[in-house]
Amino acid sequence: MDAPLASLRRAVFRLAEQGAALSALYHRARLLGCEHLPLKGPVLLVGNHGVWGYETPAFFHLIHQRTGRYPLGLAERGLFRIPLIRTVLPWLGGVEGTRENAMTALRAGSLVVCYPGGAWETFKRSHGRYRLRWEQALGFARLAARAGVPVVPFAGQGVDDTFRWPPGEERLCVRLTNDDKYRMPLVMGLGPLPWPVRLTFHLGTPHAPPPPDASESRLRAFRDTVAASVGRLLTRHSHA
């Protein structure tokens, strides 16, 4: 990487860090259960995504603030078809969510964040608030089994309240690609800002990974167990 590009990358990262800190402050964001995160070594965090994925910078900021570790996010693969995102997202701690990239990061001892719902949760409609759209997703279960790393479930409360859906929301969408799951809803905030709701991120008890030779049925059971943990964390905070 030549010097001008490296300088630009550092400047963009510093600006993003400042923006993440402001977002956390604006939303009075808090991180609970941080004792479940190791201060070193590989770990896979798996949880729910908020509308537009807006909450992610604040979440990553809190993790770094509490542990000194910079999380690495596995980003929706389809987003890397968009030139600007493909260029900038790796500068901010996001990589294309392939199994190879994830394994490389975990083998390097990284703290890796995975949202199995991907674009289905990021570009949800109002009826999808706080619903996990993991469907047939087994990628994180296979990854945990192959890498032999623990999975820490997490839940973000408030993440689907930062914006609101207008009437006629099904028509008010922008297609990022031809795939239906990349229909980005046009949501509303408080003028140019998101609604100042409180964001709470709760980390749960780690799950030991399945064995490397786990069958499909065992991987599905592991996925469902992690999903149930995320659901319990969401329910706990919705009544807190």
Side-chain angles (χ1 to χ4, degrees):
M1 183 183 298
D2 57 36
L5 185 58
S7 296
L8 176 61
R9 181 170 182 165
R10 287 192 297 269
V12 170
F13 183 77
R14 286 196 298 269
L15 183 62
E17 279 193 308
Q18 293 169 359
L22 286 174
S23 178
L25 181 64
Y26 179 72
H27 290 288
R28 309 179 309 284
R30 57 181 178 169
L31 180 65
L32 306 178
C34 205
E35 67 274 10
H36 297 307
L37 278 185
L39 296 181
K40 61 181 180 179
V43 64
L44 184 62
L45 277 76
V46 177
N48 67 306
H49 225 340
V51 62
W52 277 12
Y54 164 79
E55 81 289 351
T56 306
F59 180 42
F60 281 27
H61 169 76
L62 292 178
I63 290 175
H64 178 253
Q65 189 179 57
R66 295 288 298 276
T67 69
R69 305 183 68 177
Y70 283 108
L72 183 72
L74 300 178
E76 177 73 34
R77 298 176 66 175
L79 296 179
F80 282 80
R81 302 172 193 162
I82 304 169
L84 182 60
I85 292 178
R86 183 172 61 238
T87 299
V88 174
L89 199 55
W91 299 359
L92 306 179
V95 298
E96 186 175 0
T98 66
R99 191 176 306 175
E100 292 74 21
N101 286 341
M103 283 297 298
T104 297
L106 290 171
R107 285 171 177 162
S110 297
L111 191 161
V112 176
V113 179
C114 174
Y115 297 97
W120 290 117
E121 289 182 6
T122 303
F123 301 139
K124 69 192 72 176
R125 308 299 180 262
S126 58
H127 60 269
R129 294 173 70 253
Y130 300 108
R131 288 179 54 193
L132 300 183
R133 290 292 308 272
W134 295 11
E135 274 98 23
Q136 304 303 312
L138 286 178
F140 80 87
R142 288 196 178 96
L143 176 62
R146 183 178 171 191
V149 298
V151 171
V152 174
F154 69 87
Q157 191 66 38
V159 301
D160 284 338
D161 299 308
T162 51
F163 296 96
R164 297 177 184 172
W165 290 262
E169 61 183 87
E170 288 295 333
R171 298 190 303 274
L172 300 176
C173 294
V174 174
R175 281 189 177 273
L176 299 180
T177 73
N178 290 329
D179 195 322
D180 192 56
K181 69 178 178 179
Y182 296 116
R183 291 175 63 232
M184 182 176 73
L186 299 181
V187 292
M188 303 183 301
L190 186 61
L193 298 174
W195 294 92
V197 296
R198 182 165 204 174
L199 297 180
T200 298
F201 302 99
H202 195 133
L203 306 174
T205 304
H207 293 271
D213 59 350
S215 64
E216 288 286 306
S217 61
R218 187 158 183 178
L219 292 174
R220 286 194 295 270
F222 182 76
R223 175 199 61 200
D224 294 344
T225 297
V226 175
S229 293
V230 174
R232 285 192 295 271
L233 292 170
L234 279 171
T235 301
R236 181 186 308 173
H237 277 281
S238 67
H239 294 95

